[in-house]
């Protein structure tokens, strides 16, 4: 099963991590060796992150993620993500503006999944928006009580003939491929 595969992938990566960290503590390594080992450590961490993402996807598909629903402060999660990505936006001279169209109390949500999805949404808005632009994050609620979080930006427009593909795994628009 998927969890067994994930465990079998994670175990050797953890061993590699410990070994590299141990080598980095050696006072006799050269600066070039230290740089190479740090690159290996970063790549290893990236692989561990991908494996963790795979595990989370497996849980979502098996609907176990519902067990992780908790009463959470949506506004706080959004503000924390904006704070996290604000330095990236400032490098492009972009401004992230939060507009709260209605008061939002705590809602039942999986905070880890929401934060990861919102980080991806906001990161894409930053990456695909022009320099010196504004990215507006709006929180609103409809008549039925459903809460919406929308990132509005002036970035690249997805052409009509590409819209049907945007939810396919690893799909990138022609514009995104050129960036």
């Amino acid at each position: 099963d998927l969890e067994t595969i994930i465990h079998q992938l994670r175990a050797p990566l953890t061993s590699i991590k410990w070994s590299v960290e141990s080598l980095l503590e050696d006072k006799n390594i050269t600066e070039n060796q230290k740089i190479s080992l740090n690159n290996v450590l970063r790549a290893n961490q990236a692989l561990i992150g991908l494996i963790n993402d795979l595990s989370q996807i497996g849980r979502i598909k098996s609907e176990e993620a519902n067990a992780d629903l908790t009463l959470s402060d949506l506004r706080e999660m959004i503000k924390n993500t904006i704070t996290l990505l604000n330095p990236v936006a400032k490098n492009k001279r972009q401004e992230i503006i939060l507009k709260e169209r209605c008061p939002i109390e705590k809602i039942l949500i999986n905070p880890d999944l929401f934060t990861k999805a919102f980080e991806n949404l906001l990161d894409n808005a930053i990456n695909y928006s022009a320099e010196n632009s504004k990215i507006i994050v709006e929180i609103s609620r409809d008549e039925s009580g459903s809460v919406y979080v929308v990132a509005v930006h002036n970035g690249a427009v997805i052409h009509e003939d590409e819209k049907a593909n945007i939810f396919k795994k690893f799909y990138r628009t022609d514009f995104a491929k050129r960036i």
Side-chain angles (χ1 to χ4, degrees), residues 9-167:
L9 290 171
R10 200 179 277 145
L13 288 172
T14 302
S15 177
I16 291 168
K17 178 182 177 224
W18 290 340
S19 297
V20 170
E21 287 172 344
S22 176
L23 289 169
L24 282 167
E25 291 174 5
D26 186 344
K27 306 279 188 231
N28 297 322
I29 63 172
T30 67
E31 193 59 34
N32 282 341
Q33 289 171 326
K34 190 178 284 190
I35 290 169
S36 294
L37 287 169
N38 277 313
N39 287 339
V40 170
L41 193 58
R42 274 192 296 280
N44 188 28
Q45 284 301 108
L47 285 172
I48 290 171
L50 288 172
I51 289 168
N52 290 339
D53 289 347
L54 182 62
S55 176
Q56 198 165 38
I57 289 168
R59 285 180 43 235
I60 291 168
K61 289 193 174 197
S62 69
E63 297 184 24
E64 289 176 17
N66 288 338
D68 295 334
L69 295 179
T70 57
L71 206 53
S72 302
D73 188 337
L74 180 70
R75 181 183 301 106
E76 193 63 30
M77 288 185 288
I78 290 170
K79 285 182 178 180
N80 288 342
T81 302
I82 290 172
T83 300
L84 176 74
L85 293 176
N86 211 25
V88 179
K90 285 192 184 296
N91 281 342
K92 291 183 72 177
R93 295 183 299 282
Q94 296 169 330
E95 181 182 7
I96 302 172
I97 301 166
L98 176 60
K99 291 187 177 180
E100 300 175 55
R101 301 283 182 206
C102 61
I104 303 292
E105 64 283 346
K106 291 185 176 189
I107 62 171
L108 194 59
I109 193 169
N110 181 316
D112 294 332
L113 290 179
F114 173 80
T115 299
K116 185 172 275 302
F118 184 63
E119 280 178 16
N120 287 335
L121 177 73
L122 193 54
D123 187 53
N124 283 341
I126 293 167
N127 287 333
Y128 296 113
S129 290
E131 288 191 7
N132 299 311
S133 62
K134 292 182 179 170
I135 299 165
I136 300 168
V137 176
E138 294 182 3
I139 305 172
S140 61
R141 183 186 298 274
D142 68 10
E143 308 80 40
S144 72
S146 295
V147 175
Y148 293 88
V149 178
V150 179
V152 180
H153 62 94
N154 64 349
V157 176
I158 298 172
H159 295 282
E160 283 301 318
D161 57 331
E162 292 184 299
K163 285 183 180 179
N165 297 317
I166 63 172
F167 292 106

